Amino acid sequence: MFQGIADQITEAQREILRQETLQNYYEMLEKFRKDQIREQKKTNTAFSKFSFPHLSSTDLDQIPGLKSLFYVVFENQENENDKKRRSFIQMYLLLKSFPESIRVFSDEMKRIKPEVKSKREIRSLRILVRNIKESTMDKYFYQEVSTLLHFVEKAGEVKARSSVLDMLLKLGEELQQRLYGAVKNLKQEENWGSWEMFFSRKIQYDKIQPGGIDRAFEVMPAAESLMSCFSILAEPFFSTRDILILNKIADGFVEGLIDDMMQDWLVESKTKKMLSRINQALGTINLMVRTLTAMKEQNKNEISLMEVERKKRIEKTEEYVKKKLSQKV
């Protein structure tokens, strides 16, 4: 009698809450993507005003890696104090980072779009749940029925939470891989900012091949965007303070790394400041992933327990209603 009703309400409630999450996620991804495109245009306009007699756009395109870029722009160690040259490098690298950052948001939107239903469909599901409840209560009008329906709605909420946790953990694991890879590459980077080494070897600056710092930096724009994606979905599971901390790390993450790269170069501290920033992000993500993993296990156990309890409640409610109906007759 109540098995079909319970199944409909649980599934509808699960889908309603899942869709609310997906719709909000898609809208925020679109907002972040538009913000990045707007910043890209703004940065491109500002960068177009820079010019150096010894550099053309063709020269920049032919520079193989970050070491080459720094050596070619500065030309010699004395020019490191030139703020215009520093700004040129910082803005050039920021401009190079936008396509990958935007790509992550675009790809994520394409990935979830087929799963996102229209708001009209969700309204229809809400109406369905309401109608099922009203018709059931009109027919039986017992407290036991009301309690059962509330319970099966709760089961739908728990199942919806499970799907969001899966999405979050997938994003978290991808972020961890990128950040761990960046740390590994930066630790292998030697002589960042050292002019003496290349003077002694008489190497042409524009022929220096990419190294660990290039491999580390090329994944950072995607990492910044993934942190923003992670933050959107993580909001219901963490305190406002935790989300603010994550957003502070993600906001301007690449720009901050570029500043760190410049400082590490100027003081010849290898990649100390860059490593510090990435490790801070990694520590935050690791902690949140561990918390989410525990939440997923707890949610899984809750689903199992609720399935058992759900069956018992359905049977008990059916017996109670049958008994009351027989007494009424």
Side-chain angles (χ1 to χ4, degrees):
M1 185 186 300
F2 288 104
Q3 184 67 52
I5 292 172
D7 289 345
Q8 278 187 298
I9 291 179
T10 297
E11 182 55 31
Q13 189 67 10
R14 183 194 73 82
E15 188 60 18
I16 288 168
L17 295 175
R18 179 173 170 272
Q19 286 298 319
E20 284 180 350
T21 298
L22 287 175
Q23 287 171 358
N24 177 66
Y25 186 44
Y26 189 88
E27 289 170 4
M28 290 301 295
L29 288 172
E30 192 170 35
K31 177 184 179 300
F32 279 126
R33 181 177 173 276
K34 287 180 178 177
D35 287 345
Q36 286 291 289
I37 292 173
R38 193 160 44 244
E39 283 299 313
Q40 182 184 36
K41 291 178 179 177
K42 181 180 174 182
T43 305
N44 191 45
T45 299
F47 184 72
S48 65
K49 298 176 182 178
F50 276 94
S51 64
F52 285 101
H54 71 294
L55 279 178
S56 67
S57 58
T58 304
D59 292 330
L60 288 171
D61 290 339
Q62 292 177 349
I63 292 175
L66 290 169
K67 283 184 180 177
S68 294
L69 174 69
F70 275 65
Y71 282 125
V72 169
V73 173
F74 283 130
E75 292 187 287
N76 58 62
Q77 196 166 9
E78 287 69 32
N79 286 335
E80 287 181 343
N81 294 320
D82 186 343
K83 291 183 179 179
K84 185 179 178 182
R85 292 174 191 259
R86 292 189 196 179
S87 296
F88 179 88
I89 292 175
Q90 289 168 317
M91 199 167 293
Y92 174 72
L93 292 178
L94 184 60
L95 195 59
K96 296 282 282 185
S97 75
F98 282 115
E100 181 67 7
S101 177
I102 293 167
R103 183 196 63 77
V104 170
F105 292 128
S106 298
D107 286 354
E108 195 68 359
M109 288 170 70
K110 289 177 185 176
R111 185 183 68 81
I112 69 166
K113 190 173 183 179
E115 299 183 53
V116 180
K117 295 179 180 177
S118 67
K119 292 184 178 180
R120 185 173 63 181
E121 288 181 89
I122 303 307
R123 283 197 297 271
S124 296
L125 277 177
R126 291 185 185 279
I127 292 169
L128 173 66
V129 171
R130 187 186 67 198
N131 289 343
I132 291 173
K133 290 168 70 176
E134 287 179 353
S135 62
T136 304
M137 293 307 299
D138 287 345
K139 188 174 182 180
Y140 301 108
F141 203 69
Y142 295 109
Q143 180 62 40
E144 283 73 10
V145 176
S146 175
T147 302
L148 172 64
L149 297 184
H150 177 74
F151 182 83
V152 297
E153 275 190 301
K154 182 67 176 175
E157 293 174 14
V158 176
K159 288 186 175 182
R161 190 188 309 146
S162 179
S163 65
V164 179
L165 285 168
D166 286 340
M167 288 176 64
L168 259 173
L169 285 169
K170 185 177 179 181
L171 283 173
E173 287 165 6
E174 186 176 353
L175 252 174
Q176 286 174 314
Q177 289 176 3
R178 290 177 183 272
L179 295 173
Y180 275 124
V183 168
K184 181 180 178 180
N185 278 302
L186 286 178
K187 284 182 177 179
Q188 294 173 352
E189 185 64 46
E190 293 292 334
N191 301 308
W192 177 248
S194 171
W195 289 85
E196 290 76 6
M197 177 183 177
F198 294 98
F199 271 131
S200 63
R201 292 186 181 183
K202 297 181 179 179
I203 298 174
Q204 288 182 286
Y205 298 152
D206 59 350
K207 297 294 189 293
I208 301 169
Q209 292 304 305
I213 195 166
D214 296 271
R215 293 189 293 273
F217 189 71
E218 70 183 7
V219 300
M220 289 300 98
E224 179 183 277
S225 294
L226 285 170
M227 275 190 273
S228 296
C229 295
F230 187 87
S231 177
I232 298 167
L233 290 174
E235 191 169 345
F237 300 98
F238 293 92
S239 67
T240 302
R241 177 180 176 276
D242 290 334
I243 297 299
L244 284 174
I245 289 172
L246 177 59
N247 287 339
K248 186 175 181 181
I249 292 171
D251 186 26
F253 183 68
V254 170
E255 192 170 356
L257 275 172
I258 293 170
D259 290 341
D260 294 340
M261 186 186 298
M262 184 68 68
Q263 287 302 312
D264 282 335
W265 175 277
L266 296 175
V267 301
E268 296 185 35
S269 61
K270 295 186 178 179
T271 56
K272 184 178 178 181
K273 285 184 73 66
M274 283 182 278
L275 278 168
S276 176
R277 184 178 296 270
I278 294 173
N279 278 320
Q280 180 192 21
L282 188 53
T284 300
I285 295 299
N286 284 346
L287 179 60
M288 296 180 90
V289 166
R290 285 196 297 271
T291 302
L292 290 166
T293 302
M295 286 182 181
K296 181 181 176 180
E297 188 61 31
Q298 182 180 355
N299 199 71
K300 182 181 176 182
N301 293 335
E302 190 174 352
I303 289 173
S304 298
L305 292 171
M306 290 188 85
E307 283 297 321
V308 174
E309 181 65 20
R310 183 174 179 268
K311 184 178 179 181
K312 289 179 180 179
R313 291 193 181 208
I314 289 173
E315 291 174 353
K316 183 179 178 181
T317 304
E318 285 182 344
E319 289 175 6
Y320 181 86
V321 170
K322 286 179 182 178
K323 181 179 178 181
K324 286 294 183 181
L325 285 174
S326 66
Q327 290 174 351
K328 186 175 182 181
V329 174

